[in-house]
Amino acid sequence: MQARRSASPWFASVLPGRAARAGTDALALAAALLIATLLRHDGRFGEVDFRGLVALSAVAALVHTAAGIHFGLYTGRWAYGCFEEIAALVKTAVVVTPALFLLDTLLGRLVPRSAIIAAGLIALVFAAGVRYAVRLLKDSRLRPRPEHGIRVVVMGAGEGATQVIRAMLRSPRSPYVPVALLDDDPAKRTYRIMGVPVAGNRDAMAEVVRRFDAEAVVIAIPSAGAELIRALTDLARPLNADLKVVPPVVELFGRKVRVEDIRPVSHEDLLGRREIGIDLAAVAGYLEGRRVLVTGAGGSIGSELCRQVARFNPAQLIMLDRDESGLHAVQLSLDGRGMLDDRNLVVADIRDQQRLDEVFAEHKPHVVFHAAALKHLPLLEMHPSEALKTNIIGTYQILQTALRHNVDRLVNISTDKAADPCSVLGYSKRITERLTAAADALSTGTYCSVRFGNVLGSRGSVLTAFAAQVESGGPITVTHPDVNRYFMTVQEAVRLVVQAGALDSAGEVLVLDMGEPVRIADVAKRIADAADQHIQIVYTGLRPGEKIAEILLGPDEPDHRPNHPLISQAPVPPLDGAVLSLLDPAAPRADLIAVLHWLAESPALPVRETSPGPATAVPNGRHRPAPVSKQRHPQAAAVPPARRP
């Protein structure tokens, strides 16, 4: 009874509209038959067999309705008047015209044969015209009034601009009214999108904004790079018009642009924006339907990893972090609830081996993204023992746990500081790259490291620091006038990390192409110029372990890109984790840094064929170490019981 009650209103609401469409098309066909017949008889009404015409029109209505239902015209498959519906209308006409030709012959030739063929074409024009008129009427009702919206000039006349203008003009509550387009393509000089004309190229921006009395400029090019965004920003700055932008391709992730997506230009747009291609089939192949664990899931990189991995429909997404607030934030971004009631949210510390074994035993991950790390260079220079405990021993424990629990694929997140390292952060991350290479030699799966530079918008990034300094009234502090760094947005970096995880690799470090380096002083000047008050820039000098210019590849690492144009694959000399017993967090700071430096640059120290403890055979003939006893574990050997991390 409940089903019947719920079905009745549904049919009552949709049937009248669909019947009206079918009736309109039937009337269009009847009118077309009349017109075609009159044309055949040179407009002489006396020669028209109206009885036969009415009879054939009734038959035609039945045939057209049946064919229309078959092709989806009257089943609510498409929006009224869209291209797909017009295509279905054409298919219906192609079927109905010969069917009427045959039925007219069987019924004794009620109308001339030539009239049937002509009527099919005329009816198609009538039906399409009705749909076009209804579509125009709907669009005019949805179009916001210019006096109630912000008049905008849209930069770009491609697919992105089409989506933006359609979104603006099909919502009465849209805050934007497009009045003109700009495009550098000469072939689009006479182009219009929903009535909005191309009024010039980017060099005409000032004149077009003035002529159309525009209040804002919207850059509607999702694939625009940082260089183009900077150039357009410089053109718009003197115009007293707000500059806005649509998200880059990596943020849209295949969906269409919406009015809500339009936002002010950010520093990330100006520095790190570019289109990143991704092999969706390869990525889905190792993530879809698999159990995926992300360490450091509450951090900037880890949380974005969780968001992007979730789009590939993993069987299970396990998010591990010791920061419960970070886990709460990432769950909120994924499901909008943040109830913290999911077993896939794991509070754990990678320095706790027993806890790691519990987590891996419960969730049995197939893929691990290891993003948990300490990353602030000056702090680790002062406290190298923490780099040892978290970055090195923590990563080693993740690797050993993954081996014991047969993880198929592991991606260790590294940094450009590991290329020709000269800091504690660089040494520690280079050692993790080498430990990962050694683990790959013991695994039947793929264990690799991914190396990249500064991520815009991440916690503690230079932009975050500069923004905080501006908010407090300045000054902005820069270490050196000539210091430069590579920049990439967090979405772009993670997109390439996910892609890198799909590549075939034998313990290599996969180095992401970060584009061209940017002078930090130029970034500081741009941020200072955009501030509402005068902000001074002060140079403080390079800090210990800091370089003027970072590099992505070391002196002995070739720029070899066999699988992806934006990912280099460099060999890594393996490092047997047994040598970690040489490291003591309680050692004097200078001695500990010296040992870290030596381990980062020492020759290859492959894993010994006979590892501590019994070994188990693996299918390819290599040996995998069994779980090492607490007394023989490098962490236990390196750290006295009272100070164990």
Side-chain angles (χ1 to χ4, degrees), residues 416 419 451-453 486 511-515 550-554 557:
D416 58 354
R451 182 192 297 168
F452 51 88
Y486 292 96
V511 185
L512 308 188
D513 186 333
M514 301 285 293
E550 295 288 358
I551 59 175
L552 294 170
L553 291 163
E557 295 176 332

Side-chain angles (χ1 to χ4, degrees), residues 353 357 360 365-366 368 395-410 435-447 575-577 607 611 616-618 622-628:
Q353 179 63 71
D357 276 315
F360 277 67
H366 299 109
V368 172
T395 297
Y396 181 72
Q397 294 186 158
I398 287 286
L399 291 168
Q400 293 301 302
T401 309
L403 288 173
R404 285 194 294 274
H405 292 271
N406 301 310
V407 168
D408 179 60
R409 194 174 292 261
L410 184 144
L435 292 172
T436 303
D440 182 76
L442 297 172
S443 170
T444 56
T446 299
Y447 287 44
L575 181 68
D576 188 346
V607 179
S611 298
T616 55
V618 292
R622 295 182 292 186
H623 286 77
R624 172 176 294 163
V628 183

Side-chain angles (χ1 to χ4, degrees), residues 374-393:
L374 300 175
K375 62 181 182 180
H376 287 284
L377 186 148
L379 287 176
L380 295 184
E381 287 296 316
M382 289 190 292
H383 310 290
S385 61
E386 295 304 306
L388 167 61
K389 296 172 187 176
T390 297
N391 290 2
I392 298 175
I393 294 179

Side-chain angles (χ1 to χ4, degrees), residues 124-143:
L124 181 60
V125 172
F126 281 176
V130 169
R131 284 165 168 78
Y132 181 69
V134 171
R135 187 72 177 265
L136 280 180
L137 182 61
K138 285 184 176 180
D139 287 348
S140 66
R141 288 178 177 175
L142 293 174
R143 187 181 292 254

